[in-house]
Amino acid sequence: MREPSVHQLRLLLAVAEELHFGRAAARVFISQPALSQQIRALEERLGVPLVERGSGTVRLTPAGQAIAVEAKAVVEAVARLVQVSDAHARAVRGTLRVGSLGAEAAMPYAAAVLSRLREQHPHLEVEVHNLNFIQQFDALANGEVDAAFLRGPLPSGFQSHQLAVEPRVVCLPADDPLAGEEKLTLAQLADRAVVDMPREVPRQWWDHLTINPRPDGTPVRFGPVVRDTEAMVLAVLQARAITFLPAAARRLYPRPGLVYVDVPELGNSVSFLAWLPANRDLPAVRALREATRTAEQNPRVLSE
């Protein structure tokens, strides 16, 4: 006896379910004579009749009924085999370098993306690189990292996926006369110096975040220059300046002597996963983007 092909077993199942050669042939997209020929070939291979053919009717023989049950198990097993092989063929290996501006990779939305990525691609090694204000855009642009968790606004030339939105707040020394207020306006903060960025940081980015100039046209008075968020809050602790941060700073950077106060005029801080267009379809970056889509919830304002 010659072993039947999986294709022949699929055709037998179509006949068994339709009990009509014409309908079965249409279902599997072949002609009725071709289907009949394949069933006869299957009967010859197995050495038993499978189908009783009558005038317009089709019935399975007892052997056909028993073999159809086994054929279904074989066809389903082959489908599972193909799924497993496809999953292994799609498995992404190697190393993915992900940049993180400060504590961005520790935020819930970023952590969910990285967790999903590791679940979907266990053979992919993920390196998280902490980036300061100077490095955040340059590391992505020059290829030091393959993608990065950043805060907007993003420079032109990057592609991105928005992850979350949250309010912004002002960070003040606890002994500042305004520290006890529930909410503040930019006008109330007009005489305070604001921490500044090194010249390597895109000026447009920092001016946007500090609202420079202010709505009345007044330029911001800048104070000490900092390279990262830790240096930023230290400058505020030393009462040398104030700064504006996402509301998550209340959780991420709680320090004795610091107070965070709402300033509705500051608007929201937007978090992004960013990558270069040229890297979009690299296997590891594509896997990261897919993990983002499957892990994300709709962008939302984060509550404290």
Side-chain angles (χ1 to χ4, degrees):
M1 181 187 71
R2 294 169 56 201
E3 292 183 354
S5 69
V6 176
H7 176 62
Q8 288 175 325
L9 296 180
R10 290 195 183 98
L11 297 181
L12 174 62
L13 290 178
V15 172
E17 292 171 7
E18 297 293 343
L19 294 178
H20 189 281
F21 272 97
R23 291 195 299 269
R27 173 173 161 180
V28 295
F29 303 104
I30 64 174
S31 68
Q32 183 173 335
L35 174 60
S36 181
Q37 183 179 1
Q38 286 290 329
I39 295 300
R40 290 191 185 280
L42 177 60
E43 290 174 323
E44 291 177 4
R45 286 192 176 193
L46 295 177
V48 292
L50 302 175
V51 177
E52 294 179 356
R53 299 164 176 83
S55 56
T57 63
V58 173
R59 289 194 306 170
L60 295 185
T61 66
Q65 293 174 6
I67 290 172
V69 172
E70 301 302 325
K72 183 176 182 182
V74 170
V75 170
E76 291 176 347
V78 169
R80 290 194 298 271
L81 182 149
V82 171
Q83 288 177 346
V84 171
S85 63
D86 284 349
H88 280 273
R90 293 193 303 268
V92 178
R93 291 171 169 80
T95 301
L96 174 69
R97 301 161 300 169
V98 181
S100 171
L101 175 61
E104 276 299 292
M107 294 295 287
Y109 44 82
V113 169
L114 294 177
S115 176
R116 183 60 59 88
L117 178 66
R118 292 183 176 104
E119 290 174 3
Q120 294 176 339
H121 301 282
H123 301 293
L124 178 64
E125 181 180 354
V126 180
E127 295 179 355
V128 178
H129 296 246
N130 187 269
L131 306 176
N132 62 33
F133 296 128
I134 295 175
Q135 299 166 327
Q136 59 175 330
F137 302 132
D138 288 346
L140 190 54
N142 62 27
E144 291 179 33
V145 297
D146 304 304
F149 294 108
L150 302 173
R151 294 276 174 160
L154 301 181
S156 61
F158 293 162
Q159 293 182 342
S160 62
H161 187 100
Q162 182 174 310
L163 297 172
V165 179
E166 64 180 310
R168 298 172 64 218
V169 296
V170 62
C171 179
L172 298 164
D175 59 0
D176 188 293
L178 297 176
E181 299 293 328
E182 182 178 349
K183 292 182 180 180
L184 292 170
T185 66
L186 287 174
Q188 289 174 287
L189 299 167
D191 62 342
R192 268 66 169 183
V194 179
V195 295
D196 203 0
M197 293 284 116
R199 59 180 178 81
E200 294 90 343
V201 175
R203 194 70 231 175
Q204 184 179 7
W205 179 77
W206 192 232
D207 282 343
H208 175 88
L209 293 179
T210 55
I211 311 183
N212 179 43
R214 294 292 163 77
D216 64 0
T218 304
V220 171
R221 180 167 64 90
F222 289 104
V225 175
V226 300
R227 297 171 62 94
D228 56 41
T229 309
E230 285 290 351
M232 180 179 284
V233 297
L234 178 61
V236 177
L237 276 171
Q238 295 172 342
R240 299 165 59 202
I242 65 170
T243 194
F244 305 129
L245 288 168
R250 288 185 166 117
R251 302 188 305 274
L252 299 173
Y253 300 98
R255 302 289 186 273
L258 283 186
V259 172
Y260 296 96
V261 181
D262 294 335
V263 184
E265 290 172 89
L266 291 174
N268 290 325
S269 177
V270 184
S271 300
F272 294 94
L273 173 67
W275 59 87
L276 290 178
N279 294 341
R280 174 185 177 86
D281 292 318
L282 293 177
V285 175
R286 185 172 62 247
L288 178 61
R289 294 192 295 107
E290 291 172 353
T292 301
R293 287 196 295 270
T294 57
E296 74 173 351
Q297 297 177 352
N298 290 330
R300 62 203 184 278
V301 175
L302 301 179
S303 59
E304 290 299 297

